[in-house]
Amino acid sequence: MNRRRAIVVGAGIGGLTTALALHRKGWDVLVLERAPAQPATGAGIVLAPNALRALRAIGFDPAAAAGSAVPAAMGMRKPNGSWLRRADTDALTARYGSPPLAVHRAALVAGLADELPPGALLYGTAVTEVRATASGLPCVVTDAGEVVADVVIAADGIHSSLRKRYFPHHAGLHYSGETAWRSVVSGEGLPGLTTSETWGRGERFGIVPLADGRVYVFATAFLPEGTRPAAPLGFLWDRFHAWHSPIPELLRRVDGERLLQHDLYDLAEPLPRLHHGRLAWIGDAAHAMTPNLGQGGCQAIEDAVAVGRRLDEAGADGVEEALVAYSADRLARTNDIRLRSRRAGVVAGLRNPVAAAARDLALRLVPTGVSLRALDDLYVEVPACAPG
């Protein structure tokens, strides 16, 4: 029997998870990535319980690839260090089966790539077009030649060229008004760090201890789109050095050469569908969202497992129907989370002193149990393909 072939465009977390999900089910997979090599640097990612559950469903253990240490608590603080909301990870474990796991993105990507067969991942290969052959199968046109497959998965990121090509009238991206700086620094000599996000007025600073002992730090500020300070470390120091410990020490550890800055975007409106014939979109290519709920990468992982399950259930002639079902599975959920993340950013970014003070008081008054229940619809179990 001929093995079915899937081509995945993009070797980020969502693309590699899709490739692994299909590989586990006996598909031939080929991942095409325009970047010249696997990333060695980057930022962190928090794998929430829904993402961890999806990864387990395809037999992948992120802790084996990137470490397993979990901080004792997480929450939100004021610039003076006082807590607005704090939850023990034991409570998250009791409610959702596991606490979030924070890992370095590069380590997670490397771990996923290592699970694929030799030759399944090609770097330095840009996809220029996907067109239908006479038989109706998709043909992926690259700068190195053409490849025919049974299905193509577009995991080509927030600026997806395939999304723009197939949805030319879509409104595209919406700038949130915020820009973000990200880095990973040494955690040596900083014991007992807690995962936290500190909210000022129109500014935030995040501290996320990673499972390998390093610390993922991020900061946000409202700036005109495209603003790039000439001296970014000085810019961040001026804004955040007076905030609570260990923020000043973490800023001192940031390597300016490894400091990333990205304006924060989401899709201005949902796509009408997440498929076109034998082509499907996942992750940021499908439903780019701001990072305010920590669900961008997690939803890409959910997408990957959902599309893998639908394709595994389909027969040789059922690919298009499988993608229709995948789109129906995912469109409403991802759009709801995209909008919820946008609203969360508005609340977190309040700049009016009175409004920010009211926000902080409301956060303090909400019981921990109520705030945990508010996460249920994010961390709810999703349909997943079992390990094959």
Side-chain angles (χ1 to χ4, degrees):
M1 183 176 65
N2 292 332
R3 287 162 60 93
R4 292 178 291 175
R5 163 171 275 198
I7 293 178
V8 180
V9 182
I13 291 169
L16 291 173
T17 304
T18 304
L20 183 57
L22 292 172
H23 168 62
R24 294 274 201 252
K25 288 298 184 179
W27 284 65
D28 284 330
V29 295
L30 180 63
V31 183
L32 305 176
E33 169 57 49
R34 68 166 58 243
Q38 192 176 96
T41 60
I45 180 172
V46 178
L47 298 173
N50 55 311
L52 293 171
R53 189 179 301 112
L55 289 171
R56 285 196 298 269
I58 61 169
F60 179 76
D61 180 7
S68 59
V70 175
M74 58 194 304
M76 288 169 283
R77 307 175 80 170
K78 296 179 66 173
N80 65 9
S82 62
W83 287 95
L84 296 170
R85 179 183 295 171
R86 178 183 169 108
D88 293 337
T89 51
D90 287 346
L92 289 167
T93 302
R95 191 170 188 88
Y96 302 112
S98 62
L101 178 67
V103 300
H104 197 290
R105 282 179 178 268
L108 180 60
V109 165
L112 289 164
D114 286 346
E115 296 285 323
L116 296 176
L121 176 53
L122 295 181
Y123 285 99
T125 306
V127 172
T128 59
E129 184 183 359
V130 177
R131 55 179 174 79
T133 63
S135 65
L137 294 177
C139 176
V140 178
V141 182
T142 79
D143 52 6
E146 300 181 357
V147 191
V148 176
D150 294 282
V151 68
V152 177
I153 306 298
D156 54 340
I158 191 169
H159 299 289
S160 170
S161 61
L162 291 176
R163 182 185 69 229
K164 294 173 184 176
R165 178 179 179 84
Y166 281 91
F167 299 100
H169 302 297
H170 185 267
L173 297 177
H174 157 262
Y175 178 46
S176 70
E178 279 188 291
T179 190
W181 295 265
R182 299 180 175 96
S183 189
V184 173
V185 304
S186 169
E188 185 177 358
L190 298 173
L193 292 178
T194 300
T195 297
S196 64
E197 187 170 291
T198 301
W199 288 6
R201 296 201 301 269
E203 299 170 326
R204 288 181 279 168
F205 197 98
I207 301 171
V208 184
L210 300 182
D212 63 5
R214 291 180 289 177
V215 185
Y216 167 41
V217 296
F218 62 88
T220 73
F222 281 84
L223 293 174
E225 185 176 10
T227 301
R228 295 295 181 266
L233 287 180
F235 179 88
L236 294 175
W237 181 260
D238 289 344
R239 283 180 173 250
F240 297 106
H241 76 277
W243 287 24
H244 66 80
S245 177
I247 290 174
E249 177 58 31
L250 291 168
L251 284 172
R252 292 187 188 99
R253 298 183 182 204
V254 174
D255 179 351
E257 297 297 318
R258 294 173 178 263
L259 180 64
L260 306 174
Q261 182 184 352
H262 296 98
D263 292 340
L264 301 182
Y265 297 91
D266 62 7
L267 279 194
E269 59 187 40
L271 294 178
R273 60 189 182 280
L274 303 183
H275 68 284
H276 179 89
R278 289 174 175 256
L279 171 62
W281 284 263
I282 71 164
D284 282 346
H287 43 67
M289 58 186 68
T290 55
N292 300 306
L293 299 179
Q295 280 290 307
C298 297
Q299 289 304 304
I301 291 169
E302 281 193 13
D303 289 344
V305 175
V307 77
R309 178 180 67 88
R310 286 297 188 179
L311 287 169
D312 177 60
E313 292 173 348
D317 298 323
V319 169
E320 293 188 36
E321 290 79 3
L323 297 187
V324 171
Y326 156 73
S327 188
D329 290 341
R330 300 295 300 155
L331 190 57
R333 173 168 168 79
T334 54
N335 187 53
D336 286 347
I337 294 174
R338 178 186 66 88
L339 293 174
R340 181 172 168 181
S341 186
R342 182 185 290 183
R343 291 192 295 267
V346 171
V347 173
L350 288 172
R351 285 169 278 184
N352 178 279
V354 175
R359 172 202 66 194
D360 293 350
L361 177 61
L363 285 171
R364 287 176 183 268
L365 293 178
V366 174
T368 299
V370 173
S371 63
L372 282 178
R373 285 196 295 275
L375 299 174
D376 285 355
D377 58 342
L378 295 180
Y379 296 167
V380 68
E381 187 167 0
V382 297
C385 53

